Each structure stands twice: as structure tokens, then as C-alpha cells.
Short mmCIF file of all heavy atoms in Angstrom, two decimals:
data_model
loop_
_atom_site.label_atom_id
_atom_site.label_comp_id
_atom_site.label_asym_id
_atom_site.label_seq_id
_atom_site.Cartn_x
_atom_site.Cartn_y
_atom_site.Cartn_z
N ALA A 1 -41.91 -83.32 -66.39
CA ALA A 1 -42.21 -82.01 -66.88
C ALA A 1 -41.46 -81.72 -68.14
O ALA A 1 -40.34 -82.21 -68.28
CB ALA A 1 -41.88 -80.94 -65.87
N ASP A 2 -42.05 -81.02 -69.12
CA ASP A 2 -41.50 -80.57 -70.31
C ASP A 2 -40.48 -79.46 -70.02
O ASP A 2 -40.87 -78.32 -69.62
CB ASP A 2 -42.49 -80.18 -71.38
CG ASP A 2 -41.94 -79.75 -72.66
OD1 ASP A 2 -40.72 -80.37 -72.94
OD2 ASP A 2 -42.50 -79.05 -73.42
N TYR A 3 -39.23 -79.76 -70.02
CA TYR A 3 -38.22 -78.76 -69.62
C TYR A 3 -36.99 -78.99 -70.63
O TYR A 3 -36.73 -80.09 -71.03
CB TYR A 3 -37.79 -79.06 -68.26
CG TYR A 3 -36.94 -77.99 -67.59
CD1 TYR A 3 -37.51 -76.73 -67.19
CD2 TYR A 3 -35.57 -78.13 -67.42
CE1 TYR A 3 -36.74 -75.80 -66.70
CE2 TYR A 3 -34.81 -77.13 -66.77
CZ TYR A 3 -35.36 -75.91 -66.43
OH TYR A 3 -34.67 -74.91 -65.88
N PRO A 4 -36.34 -77.91 -70.96
CA PRO A 4 -35.26 -78.03 -71.96
C PRO A 4 -34.00 -78.92 -71.52
O PRO A 4 -33.29 -79.42 -72.37
CB PRO A 4 -34.76 -76.52 -72.23
CG PRO A 4 -35.44 -75.80 -71.22
CD PRO A 4 -36.47 -76.47 -70.60
N VAL A 5 -33.92 -79.06 -70.26
CA VAL A 5 -32.77 -79.86 -69.72
C VAL A 5 -33.29 -81.07 -68.98
O VAL A 5 -34.19 -80.95 -68.07
CB VAL A 5 -31.91 -79.02 -68.78
CG1 VAL A 5 -30.75 -79.86 -68.24
CG2 VAL A 5 -31.34 -77.80 -69.55
N GLU A 6 -32.86 -82.23 -69.35
CA GLU A 6 -33.24 -83.45 -68.55
C GLU A 6 -32.35 -83.56 -67.27
O GLU A 6 -31.12 -83.58 -67.37
CB GLU A 6 -33.13 -84.71 -69.45
CG GLU A 6 -33.69 -85.92 -68.77
CD GLU A 6 -33.66 -87.15 -69.75
OE1 GLU A 6 -33.94 -86.91 -70.94
OE2 GLU A 6 -33.44 -88.21 -69.20
N ARG A 7 -33.01 -83.66 -66.15
CA ARG A 7 -32.22 -83.85 -64.90
C ARG A 7 -33.08 -84.62 -63.84
O ARG A 7 -34.32 -84.48 -63.95
CB ARG A 7 -31.73 -82.52 -64.45
CG ARG A 7 -32.83 -81.49 -64.25
CD ARG A 7 -32.46 -80.14 -63.96
NE ARG A 7 -31.50 -79.95 -62.88
CZ ARG A 7 -31.13 -78.69 -62.49
NH1 ARG A 7 -31.55 -77.67 -63.02
NH2 ARG A 7 -30.29 -78.63 -61.49
N ASP A 8 -32.53 -85.06 -62.93
CA ASP A 8 -33.09 -85.66 -61.69
C ASP A 8 -32.92 -84.73 -60.54
O ASP A 8 -31.84 -84.19 -60.36
CB ASP A 8 -32.56 -87.05 -61.37
CG ASP A 8 -32.76 -88.14 -62.40
OD1 ASP A 8 -33.84 -87.96 -63.11
OD2 ASP A 8 -31.98 -88.98 -62.58
N LEU A 9 -33.97 -84.57 -59.85
CA LEU A 9 -33.92 -83.66 -58.60
C LEU A 9 -34.21 -84.53 -57.42
O LEU A 9 -35.37 -85.10 -57.29
CB LEU A 9 -34.94 -82.53 -58.78
CG LEU A 9 -35.08 -81.61 -57.54
CD1 LEU A 9 -33.78 -80.87 -57.38
CD2 LEU A 9 -36.25 -80.66 -57.76
N HIS A 10 -33.25 -84.77 -56.60
CA HIS A 10 -33.44 -85.51 -55.36
C HIS A 10 -33.88 -84.64 -54.22
O HIS A 10 -33.13 -83.75 -53.85
CB HIS A 10 -32.24 -86.27 -55.03
CG HIS A 10 -31.70 -87.16 -56.20
ND1 HIS A 10 -32.31 -88.45 -56.36
CD2 HIS A 10 -30.84 -86.96 -57.20
CE1 HIS A 10 -31.67 -89.00 -57.45
NE2 HIS A 10 -30.86 -88.11 -57.91
N LEU A 11 -35.06 -84.77 -53.78
CA LEU A 11 -35.63 -83.87 -52.78
C LEU A 11 -35.15 -84.19 -51.33
O LEU A 11 -35.12 -83.33 -50.41
CB LEU A 11 -37.16 -83.98 -52.71
CG LEU A 11 -37.88 -83.58 -54.05
CD1 LEU A 11 -39.33 -83.69 -54.00
CD2 LEU A 11 -37.43 -82.10 -54.36
N GLN A 12 -34.66 -85.36 -51.06
CA GLN A 12 -34.12 -85.77 -49.81
C GLN A 12 -34.94 -85.33 -48.65
O GLN A 12 -34.57 -84.73 -47.69
CB GLN A 12 -32.69 -85.20 -49.61
CG GLN A 12 -31.89 -85.75 -50.68
CD GLN A 12 -30.44 -84.98 -50.70
OE1 GLN A 12 -30.39 -83.92 -50.13
NE2 GLN A 12 -29.51 -85.61 -51.38
N GLY A 13 -36.37 -85.66 -48.71
CA GLY A 13 -37.25 -85.34 -47.67
C GLY A 13 -37.96 -84.00 -47.73
O GLY A 13 -38.85 -83.73 -46.92
N ARG A 14 -37.47 -83.16 -48.58
CA ARG A 14 -38.06 -81.82 -48.69
C ARG A 14 -39.31 -81.85 -49.58
O ARG A 14 -39.44 -82.72 -50.39
CB ARG A 14 -37.11 -80.87 -49.33
CG ARG A 14 -35.83 -80.50 -48.54
CD ARG A 14 -34.83 -79.75 -49.28
NE ARG A 14 -34.42 -80.54 -50.45
CZ ARG A 14 -33.63 -80.06 -51.34
NH1 ARG A 14 -33.16 -78.88 -51.37
NH2 ARG A 14 -33.26 -80.84 -52.41
N GLY A 15 -40.20 -80.94 -49.38
CA GLY A 15 -41.42 -80.94 -50.11
C GLY A 15 -41.15 -80.23 -51.47
O GLY A 15 -40.04 -79.62 -51.72
N LEU A 16 -42.11 -80.24 -52.35
CA LEU A 16 -42.04 -79.74 -53.74
C LEU A 16 -43.28 -78.90 -53.92
O LEU A 16 -44.42 -79.42 -53.74
CB LEU A 16 -41.84 -80.86 -54.71
CG LEU A 16 -41.83 -80.44 -56.22
CD1 LEU A 16 -40.58 -79.56 -56.38
CD2 LEU A 16 -41.95 -81.61 -57.12
N LEU A 17 -43.09 -77.65 -54.26
CA LEU A 17 -44.18 -76.76 -54.58
C LEU A 17 -44.25 -76.53 -56.06
O LEU A 17 -43.45 -75.66 -56.55
CB LEU A 17 -44.12 -75.52 -53.81
CG LEU A 17 -45.16 -74.43 -54.00
CD1 LEU A 17 -46.61 -74.95 -53.70
CD2 LEU A 17 -44.91 -73.08 -53.33
N PRO A 18 -45.12 -77.14 -56.78
CA PRO A 18 -45.19 -76.86 -58.23
C PRO A 18 -45.87 -75.49 -58.41
O PRO A 18 -46.80 -75.08 -57.91
CB PRO A 18 -46.18 -77.95 -58.75
CG PRO A 18 -46.43 -78.87 -57.70
CD PRO A 18 -46.04 -78.20 -56.35
N VAL A 19 -45.20 -74.73 -59.37
CA VAL A 19 -45.70 -73.38 -59.74
C VAL A 19 -46.01 -73.38 -61.28
O VAL A 19 -45.11 -73.75 -62.05
CB VAL A 19 -44.64 -72.33 -59.44
CG1 VAL A 19 -45.09 -71.00 -59.82
CG2 VAL A 19 -44.23 -72.37 -57.93
N PRO A 20 -47.23 -73.03 -61.65
CA PRO A 20 -47.52 -73.07 -63.10
C PRO A 20 -46.73 -71.99 -63.81
O PRO A 20 -46.30 -71.03 -63.27
CB PRO A 20 -48.99 -72.76 -63.13
CG PRO A 20 -49.32 -72.13 -61.82
CD PRO A 20 -48.29 -72.60 -60.83
N TYR A 21 -46.41 -72.31 -65.00
CA TYR A 21 -45.65 -71.47 -65.93
C TYR A 21 -46.48 -71.16 -67.09
O TYR A 21 -47.05 -71.95 -67.80
CB TYR A 21 -44.31 -72.22 -66.38
CG TYR A 21 -43.66 -71.45 -67.45
CD1 TYR A 21 -42.86 -70.31 -67.12
CD2 TYR A 21 -43.70 -71.85 -68.73
CE1 TYR A 21 -42.18 -69.68 -68.09
CE2 TYR A 21 -43.01 -71.18 -69.75
CZ TYR A 21 -42.27 -70.12 -69.39
OH TYR A 21 -41.68 -69.38 -70.42
N TYR A 22 -46.63 -69.80 -67.27
CA TYR A 22 -47.42 -69.32 -68.33
C TYR A 22 -46.46 -68.49 -69.25
O TYR A 22 -45.98 -67.37 -68.90
CB TYR A 22 -48.56 -68.42 -67.90
CG TYR A 22 -49.45 -69.17 -66.95
CD1 TYR A 22 -49.47 -68.98 -65.64
CD2 TYR A 22 -50.40 -70.09 -67.54
CE1 TYR A 22 -50.29 -69.71 -64.78
CE2 TYR A 22 -51.28 -70.68 -66.67
CZ TYR A 22 -51.21 -70.63 -65.30
OH TYR A 22 -52.05 -71.30 -64.54
N PRO A 23 -46.17 -68.87 -70.55
CA PRO A 23 -45.24 -68.14 -71.36
C PRO A 23 -45.90 -66.80 -71.70
O PRO A 23 -47.08 -66.66 -71.86
CB PRO A 23 -45.09 -69.04 -72.56
CG PRO A 23 -46.14 -69.99 -72.50
CD PRO A 23 -46.65 -70.13 -71.10
N VAL A 24 -45.01 -65.78 -71.87
CA VAL A 24 -45.39 -64.42 -72.31
C VAL A 24 -45.57 -64.40 -73.82
O VAL A 24 -44.73 -64.88 -74.53
CB VAL A 24 -44.34 -63.45 -71.78
CG1 VAL A 24 -44.72 -62.06 -72.33
CG2 VAL A 24 -44.25 -63.45 -70.30
N ASP A 25 -46.67 -63.83 -74.26
CA ASP A 25 -46.85 -63.66 -75.63
C ASP A 25 -46.16 -62.41 -76.14
O ASP A 25 -46.63 -61.24 -75.82
CB ASP A 25 -48.36 -63.50 -75.97
CG ASP A 25 -48.71 -63.38 -77.47
OD1 ASP A 25 -47.74 -63.44 -78.26
OD2 ASP A 25 -49.89 -63.03 -77.82
N ARG A 26 -45.01 -62.54 -76.79
CA ARG A 26 -44.18 -61.44 -77.20
C ARG A 26 -44.57 -61.00 -78.59
O ARG A 26 -43.87 -60.16 -79.22
CB ARG A 26 -42.76 -61.77 -77.15
CG ARG A 26 -42.32 -62.09 -75.75
CD ARG A 26 -40.84 -62.29 -75.61
NE ARG A 26 -40.39 -62.72 -74.33
CZ ARG A 26 -40.16 -61.90 -73.28
NH1 ARG A 26 -40.24 -60.65 -73.38
NH2 ARG A 26 -39.69 -62.47 -72.17
N THR A 27 -45.64 -61.51 -79.21
CA THR A 27 -45.93 -61.16 -80.54
C THR A 27 -46.87 -59.80 -80.65
O THR A 27 -46.90 -59.30 -81.63
CB THR A 27 -46.70 -62.28 -81.28
OG1 THR A 27 -47.89 -62.52 -80.58
CG2 THR A 27 -45.76 -63.45 -81.35
N ARG A 28 -47.40 -59.47 -79.46
CA ARG A 28 -48.20 -58.31 -79.45
C ARG A 28 -47.61 -57.24 -78.53
O ARG A 28 -47.06 -57.54 -77.47
CB ARG A 28 -49.64 -58.71 -78.97
CG ARG A 28 -50.24 -59.70 -79.89
CD ARG A 28 -51.78 -59.94 -79.36
NE ARG A 28 -52.45 -58.80 -79.37
CZ ARG A 28 -53.30 -58.35 -78.42
NH1 ARG A 28 -53.47 -59.06 -77.36
NH2 ARG A 28 -54.01 -57.23 -78.49
N ALA A 29 -47.85 -56.05 -78.87
CA ALA A 29 -47.37 -54.98 -78.10
C ALA A 29 -48.54 -53.90 -78.02
O ALA A 29 -49.29 -53.82 -78.97
CB ALA A 29 -46.20 -54.28 -78.64
N PRO A 30 -48.72 -53.16 -76.93
CA PRO A 30 -49.73 -52.14 -76.91
C PRO A 30 -49.60 -51.08 -77.83
O PRO A 30 -48.51 -50.74 -78.31
CB PRO A 30 -49.63 -51.64 -75.42
CG PRO A 30 -48.19 -51.94 -75.05
CD PRO A 30 -47.75 -53.18 -75.82
N ASP A 31 -50.74 -50.54 -78.29
CA ASP A 31 -50.75 -49.39 -79.30
C ASP A 31 -50.26 -48.17 -78.57
O ASP A 31 -50.78 -47.72 -77.54
CB ASP A 31 -52.19 -49.27 -79.68
CG ASP A 31 -52.24 -48.19 -80.84
OD1 ASP A 31 -51.25 -47.50 -81.12
OD2 ASP A 31 -53.36 -47.96 -81.32
N ALA A 32 -49.16 -47.62 -79.09
CA ALA A 32 -48.50 -46.39 -78.48
C ALA A 32 -49.38 -45.13 -78.56
O ALA A 32 -49.12 -44.25 -77.99
CB ALA A 32 -47.10 -46.18 -79.06
N SER A 33 -50.37 -45.27 -79.51
CA SER A 33 -51.24 -44.04 -79.53
C SER A 33 -52.09 -43.88 -78.30
O SER A 33 -52.65 -42.80 -78.13
CB SER A 33 -52.16 -44.12 -80.87
OG SER A 33 -52.97 -45.25 -80.71
N LEU A 34 -52.16 -44.90 -77.48
CA LEU A 34 -52.82 -44.82 -76.23
C LEU A 34 -52.02 -43.84 -75.30
O LEU A 34 -50.77 -43.89 -75.26
CB LEU A 34 -53.06 -46.15 -75.50
CG LEU A 34 -53.82 -47.24 -76.40
CD1 LEU A 34 -53.76 -48.57 -75.76
CD2 LEU A 34 -55.21 -46.68 -76.58
N PRO A 35 -52.70 -43.05 -74.50
CA PRO A 35 -51.99 -42.19 -73.58
C PRO A 35 -51.27 -42.90 -72.44
O PRO A 35 -50.66 -42.28 -71.64
CB PRO A 35 -53.10 -41.21 -73.15
CG PRO A 35 -54.37 -42.00 -73.23
CD PRO A 35 -54.11 -42.99 -74.40
N SER A 36 -51.40 -44.30 -72.43
CA SER A 36 -50.73 -45.06 -71.26
C SER A 36 -49.27 -45.23 -71.38
O SER A 36 -48.64 -45.57 -70.46
CB SER A 36 -51.55 -46.32 -71.05
OG SER A 36 -51.32 -47.09 -72.35
N LEU A 37 -48.71 -44.99 -72.66
CA LEU A 37 -47.25 -45.23 -72.80
C LEU A 37 -46.44 -44.40 -71.86
O LEU A 37 -45.58 -44.86 -71.18
CB LEU A 37 -46.91 -45.06 -74.23
CG LEU A 37 -45.39 -45.46 -74.54
CD1 LEU A 37 -45.24 -47.03 -74.21
CD2 LEU A 37 -45.07 -45.19 -76.01
N PRO A 38 -46.72 -43.06 -71.81
CA PRO A 38 -45.88 -42.24 -70.79
C PRO A 38 -46.12 -42.68 -69.44
O PRO A 38 -45.26 -42.64 -68.53
CB PRO A 38 -46.48 -40.78 -70.99
CG PRO A 38 -46.86 -40.86 -72.39
CD PRO A 38 -47.48 -42.20 -72.66
N ARG A 39 -47.35 -43.17 -69.09
CA ARG A 39 -47.52 -43.65 -67.65
C ARG A 39 -46.81 -44.92 -67.50
O ARG A 39 -46.40 -45.23 -66.31
CB ARG A 39 -49.12 -43.88 -67.48
CG ARG A 39 -49.83 -42.53 -67.30
CD ARG A 39 -51.20 -42.74 -66.84
NE ARG A 39 -51.86 -44.02 -67.06
CZ ARG A 39 -53.04 -44.19 -67.64
NH1 ARG A 39 -53.72 -43.09 -67.94
NH2 ARG A 39 -53.58 -45.39 -67.78
N LEU A 40 -46.71 -45.75 -68.47
CA LEU A 40 -45.93 -47.00 -68.25
C LEU A 40 -44.45 -46.78 -68.16
O LEU A 40 -43.76 -47.26 -67.23
CB LEU A 40 -46.22 -47.94 -69.50
CG LEU A 40 -45.42 -49.18 -69.63
CD1 LEU A 40 -45.83 -50.14 -68.43
CD2 LEU A 40 -45.63 -49.86 -70.94
N LEU A 41 -43.84 -45.94 -69.06
CA LEU A 41 -42.45 -45.78 -69.18
C LEU A 41 -41.99 -44.58 -68.40
O LEU A 41 -40.81 -44.40 -68.03
CB LEU A 41 -41.95 -45.60 -70.57
CG LEU A 41 -42.17 -46.77 -71.50
CD1 LEU A 41 -41.79 -46.47 -72.92
CD2 LEU A 41 -41.51 -48.05 -71.05
N GLY A 42 -42.89 -43.60 -68.19
CA GLY A 42 -42.51 -42.29 -67.72
C GLY A 42 -42.35 -41.33 -68.94
O GLY A 42 -42.03 -41.73 -70.05
N SER A 43 -42.74 -40.10 -68.74
CA SER A 43 -42.82 -39.19 -69.95
C SER A 43 -41.35 -39.05 -70.58
O SER A 43 -41.36 -38.89 -71.82
CB SER A 43 -43.28 -37.82 -69.52
OG SER A 43 -42.54 -37.28 -68.44
N THR A 44 -40.33 -38.88 -69.87
CA THR A 44 -39.06 -38.76 -70.42
C THR A 44 -38.64 -39.95 -71.27
O THR A 44 -38.15 -39.93 -72.39
CB THR A 44 -37.99 -38.45 -69.37
OG1 THR A 44 -38.38 -37.25 -68.61
CG2 THR A 44 -36.58 -38.24 -70.00
N ARG A 45 -38.83 -41.16 -70.67
CA ARG A 45 -38.43 -42.41 -71.45
C ARG A 45 -39.33 -42.58 -72.65
O ARG A 45 -38.76 -42.99 -73.73
CB ARG A 45 -38.46 -43.58 -70.46
CG ARG A 45 -37.38 -43.62 -69.50
CD ARG A 45 -37.50 -44.90 -68.60
NE ARG A 45 -36.69 -44.69 -67.46
CZ ARG A 45 -37.09 -44.92 -66.21
NH1 ARG A 45 -38.27 -45.52 -65.99
NH2 ARG A 45 -36.31 -44.71 -65.19
N ALA A 46 -40.55 -42.28 -72.56
CA ALA A 46 -41.45 -42.36 -73.65
C ALA A 46 -41.00 -41.49 -74.76
O ALA A 46 -40.93 -41.79 -76.00
CB ALA A 46 -42.88 -42.14 -73.32
N ALA A 47 -40.67 -40.26 -74.43
CA ALA A 47 -40.21 -39.21 -75.42
C ALA A 47 -38.91 -39.70 -76.08
O ALA A 47 -38.73 -39.53 -77.26
CB ALA A 47 -40.05 -37.84 -74.75
N LEU A 48 -38.01 -40.13 -75.26
CA LEU A 48 -36.70 -40.63 -75.78
C LEU A 48 -36.98 -41.86 -76.68
O LEU A 48 -36.33 -41.95 -77.81
CB LEU A 48 -35.77 -41.00 -74.75
CG LEU A 48 -35.16 -39.83 -73.87
CD1 LEU A 48 -34.50 -40.42 -72.67
CD2 LEU A 48 -34.22 -39.10 -74.78
#
């Protein structure tokens, strides 16, 4: 697997459950003009 650290994992008879990894796209943010920002953060946090 493409991973930042090279290592060996010895399972010693245990199973392995692969879980897919999907990176988060941090280049986009929702438009704050939408009324959903207070619902997301709460009205006080959105105002602050």
C-alpha cells in the first residue's frame, strides 16, 4: 500500500480488514451565503 511510512505488519494468524481511504478535498468550502452555515455551526458560532 502507498503509505508514508514503510513497515511490516505481522498478523500472527489474525485477519486483515482493508478499509478504503478517500482523501478530503480541502480546496473547496461551502458558500456561507447559504442559510445552512448557522445550522452547521450553530447560530452563535456562525455569528462569532
